[in-house]
Structure formats: structure tokens, C-alpha cells
Amino acid sequence: MVKKIVAGNWKMNGSPQDIQSFAHYSQILTKPDQLDAIICPPFPLLGEAKQSFHEQLLIGAQDCHGELAGAHTGDVSAQLLQQMCCSYVIVGHSERRQDHAETDVMVGRKILAAQELGITPIFCIGEQMDQRRAGRWGDVLAQQLSILRDEKIDAGMLVVAYEPIWAIGSGARAENNDIVEAHGFIRAQLASLANNASKIAILYGGSVKPDNVVELSQLADVDGALVGGASLKVEDFSQLVEAFGATL
Ligand code: PGA
């Protein structure tokens, strides 16, 4: 069975007080073992999360550098993330591809760096609205996924997050049939890239909220969610965890 995952991406939000609210939640959280609940705060809050989260709530980071150390001002290595007890790291988020001109090659290096340190990458892919309108979403996803052909990458030790860029932060998630179609396509692509494709969790991201999560959690090939806005409040995040927990 594929593991279910609910990962909160705080982006450039959140405070030490928020970490404390989630620390309290982590102590009362009950969930099936086959579900991982993860919070990815900004880097400066990782230490506090490490100190205060109960192990039921895992810690993730929002990015890592492709090298393990060196002269890269402002960047953070997977090595340090490991010391901060990060189990997961988001790589290739569309906001990083856009704001920091990250290429597929750079994202591939980040995946390798994370894997080398035993951290599971949450590898984000997704198309722009004009690419969808032009019927090119499949080509875009296939291109982004093609970095997994690098034989050094362990395709068995990663999570894929399908995040249509136009749905992120828009308030309206993609339609059910578009999600099912894209996830089925990604699963088929993974099958040509990895032996254990059926075991790779595929998350959906883009305006997942308490009022649209139950339907989402029941869609074929949707193994979890990568969540921005609705991961900032315990009341919202807990409902997302419950919805995916209920599918197990
Ligand atoms: P959103 O962000 O849930 O606020 O749309 C999702 C993401 O960017 O991962």
C-alpha cells in the first residue's frame, strides 16, 4: 500500500508561536501509522520544531542546495537539514523555479543531495495555465519527470507532488477529473522510470482546504496533499490529516 502524506508548506510565513501551536497539536495527534503528517516551516524555525514537536508530527524543509557544503551564501545543505531532524524536503516548488530560476538539472541535484542524507524529497511538478490551455500539460510533466532517468536517483525514495501552478494560492483547487487524469499520467510515467512506481506517493497541491479535502482524498492515485495556506492553522491542518487518515 502507498503511504499517505499530508505536508504543510508554510512558505515565508509562520512564527515561533505557530511552532508552539503545532507542538501542542503534535502531542495530541493520533493518526494511522501509514500516514505521515509533516510541517515544513522556514529554515530559522527548524531548530525550534526539532525541540518541540512530538515524533507524530514530522519535520520537513522547503528546499536544500544540490551540494552538501560550500560557498553558497544564503543556501542550506541537506546535511544541516538532517541534523535538524528533517525527514522530508520539498524540491522544485514552482515558486523556487520562478523566483530563483531553478532548472530541472538543479532540481535533480537537490533530489540526489537529499537522498544521500536519507531525507525523502517531495519533488514538485506542474504546468502553467497557458500550457494546460494549449493541451501541453502532459509534455510539461513528462519533461519535469525525465530527470528521474538519472540512474543515481533512487526513484523508490521520493514523493511526487503534482501542483498545477494556476491552482496554487488561487482559492480554487483543480477539478477532480483533471487531477485524476494528471495523477494517472504521472503514475504511468513513473512506471517507465522506476521498478516500484506503484509505491511512490503522488500528492496533489494547489488550494487544498478543509472544505475540498474529503473529495480529494478519495480520488484515484491521490496519496496525499501538499498544502500552503491551509497548513498555517492547526484547526485547518488537522482536518486535512483526518481526511486522509480516514481513507486508510
Ligand atoms: P496553497 O499552496 O495550498 O496555498 O495553494 C500549495 C503549495 O504551493 O504547495
Side-chain angles (χ1 to χ4, degrees):
M1 181 195 260
V2 187
K3 197 169 219 178
K4 300 280 162 116
I5 295 171
V6 178
N9 172 11
W10 283 8
K11 309 192 180 186
M12 204 169 69
N13 301 300
S15 64
Q17 290 78 8
D18 294 321
I19 291 288
Q20 288 314 314
S21 307
F22 276 82
H24 176 69
Y25 168 64
S26 70
Q27 270 139 27
I28 55 170
L29 169 63
T30 49
K31 57 160 195 69
D33 288 345
Q34 312 92 301
L35 183 144
D36 279 357
I38 312 158
I39 289 292
C40 307
F43 292 132
L45 298 178
L46 289 174
E48 192 157 342
K50 175 185 173 209
Q51 272 169 11
S52 48
F53 281 11
H54 182 275
E55 64 186 17
Q56 286 284 85
L57 185 58
L58 299 175
I59 304 169
Q62 298 176 18
D63 181 49
C64 68
H65 196 273
E67 287 173 36
L68 297 187
H72 302 289
T73 304
D75 281 313
V76 173
S77 73
Q79 208 148 25
L80 191 56
L81 297 183
Q82 186 200 44
Q83 286 165 22
M84 291 292 118
C85 297
C86 289
S87 312
Y88 289 88
V89 59
I90 299 168
V91 296
H93 191 283
S94 57
E95 286 153 14
R96 294 218 45 103
R97 291 180 192 256
Q98 192 179 321
D99 296 356
H100 300 271
E102 286 188 5
T103 61
D104 289 334
V105 172
M106 288 161 77
V107 175
R109 289 203 195 108
K110 289 168 190 252
I111 291 177
L112 276 172
Q115 289 185 336
E116 201 168 314
L117 274 298
I119 301 171
T120 303
I122 301 177
F123 170 34
C124 300
I125 59 173
E127 80 285 357
Q128 310 263 13
M129 182 46 110
D130 58 339
Q131 293 167 326
R132 172 157 285 271
R133 287 213 182 101
R136 292 186 43 235
W137 62 268
D139 295 342
V140 173
L141 299 183
Q143 166 63 32
Q144 291 172 331
L145 285 167
S146 68
I147 57 170
L148 301 180
R149 288 194 196 286
D150 181 336
E151 63 207 16
K152 292 194 274 334
I153 291 179
D154 177 359
M157 195 207 166
L158 59 83
V159 171
V160 173
Y162 170 58
E163 297 206 308
I165 296 169
W166 42 274
I168 294 175
S170 70
R173 70 161 170 81
E175 299 290 338
N176 291 345
N177 48 357
D178 289 339
I179 296 175
V180 169
E181 192 179 21
H183 281 227
F185 177 84
I186 292 165
R187 181 80 66 207
Q189 291 284 313
L190 290 173
S192 68
L193 296 163
N195 297 330
N196 59 346
S198 60
K199 297 244 168 62
I200 299 176
I202 306 175
L203 317 184
Y204 167 80
S207 298
V208 177
K209 294 180 291 188
D211 66 9
N212 64 28
V213 72
V214 174
E215 233 180 72
L216 177 75
S217 69
Q218 289 158 1
L219 299 179
D221 277 318
V222 175
D223 305 309
L226 180 56
V227 189
S231 70
L232 289 162
K233 289 208 185 89
V234 167
E235 310 87 79
D236 291 345
F237 185 74
S238 61
Q239 291 182 58
L240 309 181
V241 172
E242 267 169 43
F244 278 96
T247 65
L248 289 165

